[in-house]
Amino acid sequence: MSAPHRILAAKFACSLALIAPAGAIAADGPPDGSTPEQKAAIAKDPAYRKQDLILTNLPRNRAAPRMLFNGRDLTGWDSWLGYTVPATTYGTPSSAPIGLNHDTYGVFKVVQEDGAAAIYSSGKLFGGLITKEAHRNYHLHVEYKWGANTWMPMPRNNGVLYHSHGAYGAFFGTWMSAIEFEVVPHSVGMLLTVGDSKGKPSFGTVDWRVGATVAVANDPSIPYPSRRYFHGGLPSNLSFPTWNVDAGTDAERPLGEWNSLDLYVFGDRSIHVVNGVPVMAATNLTTKDAKGRTIPLTAGKIQLQSEGAETYFRAITIEPIRRLPTITERKPG
């Protein structure tokens, strides 16, 4: 297993053994496939093979997409920052989260990059830039580029969280409960479900309130749960201990180049597209209501992450859609 993939094995834990001070990590860490329960959860997954997938039947609108970033300032967005020592995020923080709209650190700001306005996410502190509005049934377009600096001994890490709902900082004091469109080298488009840690430094006690169903196949070259999106694969419900599925293929451009992300959501379904390549499709997106009942997750706010690495975001637009596009496998020859 490659060094990046060894670290990716604990995405949310951010390779805590590397970045957290002694004693800061909860003994109950993220699953690694070592228990009978964890092995049984993936026992029926079919074998993975790379697919050549294309997006067809794109939804069309007569009106131009609406800009979510005006190119001047962060109007329309809120910020939420977690702890002043990010390495303690998944362990035992020594203070309360920094909180809502108290970004005196310049974690999120508007800059000029490559001759155009962009939102800068420093990565030095963990948190999110969050749309004030909730959205449903849309096509979101975002362009991103990695900056030069990383602040921890881990791969570059960021993400776009959608259908964000519930309390600010519900997940380990830092992010709202949501579905995540992951942005990590070699895994851009991975899907994760982000729950509610209820203030406890333990993965085992997290309320994994967010769910999704993804067609998967087993790829033993990546960490547990060793699952990639596989068009036509085994429909699998994401729930602890298998709360993430990697992108079907690595479609990211080389470091330093701009990448385009397209997210299509309609009802309780979503599609992740990286540089024009569909790499993930999910159905049956769910959450829990105030009484703990499972309900469809069909709308929410959008969060741009800050998580350990400099990132630039630009050309952020949204437009309503009445259906999803179609994913098709292109056969050779």
Side-chain angles (χ1 to χ4, degrees):
M1 188 185 300
S2 69
H5 276 142
R6 282 198 300 271
I7 300 175
L8 267 174
K11 184 271 171 191
F12 278 133
C14 294
S15 190
L16 295 181
L18 292 176
I19 68 173
I25 308 168
D28 180 12
D32 59 6
S34 60
T35 70
E37 175 196 18
Q38 292 169 11
K39 293 176 182 177
I42 62 171
K44 296 182 179 180
D45 292 358
Y48 169 79
R49 63 172 173 81
K50 189 173 181 179
Q51 297 177 302
D52 183 9
L53 301 180
I54 58 174
L55 206 63
T56 61
N57 195 28
L58 296 176
R60 302 293 184 186
N61 285 296
R62 293 182 179 180
R66 179 164 67 93
M67 302 293 295
L68 286 184
F69 168 47
N70 64 22
R72 301 182 303 276
D73 54 35
L74 298 178
T75 297
W77 300 80
D78 289 316
S79 68
W80 176 275
L81 297 181
Y83 304 104
T84 54
V85 182
T88 65
T89 298
Y90 304 102
T92 306
S94 59
S95 63
I98 296 167
L100 184 66
N101 293 329
H102 195 62
D103 184 6
T104 60
Y105 303 85
V107 174
F108 298 107
K109 59 185 178 182
V110 178
V111 299
Q112 291 291 312
E113 181 68 15
D114 294 336
I119 294 175
Y120 173 75
S121 171
S122 78
K124 282 189 175 182
L125 296 178
F126 290 177
L129 190 67
I130 309 162
T131 58
K132 291 181 180 292
E133 294 181 62
H135 300 277
R136 70 173 66 240
N137 297 340
Y138 60 83
H139 166 211
L140 175 73
H141 177 82
V142 179
E143 295 178 7
Y144 80 90
K145 185 183 80 165
W146 296 113
N149 293 312
T150 59
W151 311 110
M152 297 178 186
M154 55 185 270
R156 287 176 165 82
N157 196 350
N158 214 301
V160 177
L161 281 68
Y162 60 97
H163 288 357
S164 305
H165 60 285
Y168 292 108
F171 192 77
F172 291 97
T174 307
W175 295 290
M176 300 173 73
S177 296
I179 303 288
E180 180 167 1
F181 188 137
E182 178 66 90
V183 179
V184 162
H186 310 296
S187 293
V188 179
M190 175 193 286
L191 186 147
L192 302 101
T193 57
V194 182
D196 185 341
S197 64
K198 298 191 175 298
K200 299 177 181 180
S202 166
F203 275 74
T205 58
V206 168
D207 175 6
W208 296 99
R209 59 186 298 109
V210 178
T213 299
V214 176
V216 303
N218 179 267
D219 181 354
S221 72
I222 60 177
Y224 185 85
S226 308
R227 283 177 161 173
R228 288 194 184 276
Y229 166 65
F230 191 74
H231 183 62
L234 178 69
S236 298
N237 181 40
L238 275 66
S239 59
F240 194 82
T242 57
W243 83 100
N244 69 296
V245 175
D246 210 337
T249 190
D250 178 5
E252 188 180 29
R253 292 173 181 152
L255 183 65
E257 295 186 16
W258 287 96
N259 295 267
S260 66
L261 307 180
D262 290 280
L263 168 66
Y264 295 88
V265 292
F266 188 81
D268 62 352
R269 298 176 292 159
S270 66
I271 293 176
H272 299 184
V273 182
V274 180
N275 294 317
V277 180
V279 299
M280 178 66 59
T283 61
N284 193 33
L285 304 181
T286 60
T287 189
K288 295 178 181 178
D289 65 14
K291 295 183 178 180
R293 297 172 298 195
T294 298
I295 59 173
L297 179 57
T298 60
K301 298 182 178 183
I302 297 163
Q303 303 177 80
L304 305 179
Q305 282 189 314
S306 170
E307 194 177 2
E310 285 185 322
T311 314
Y312 299 93
F313 296 100
R314 71 179 188 187
I316 306 170
T317 63
I318 195 167
E319 60 182 334
I321 59 174
R322 296 182 179 179
R323 57 173 174 78
L324 290 177
T326 303
I327 297 177
T328 304
E329 182 176 8
R330 185 161 42 197
K331 302 297 184 180

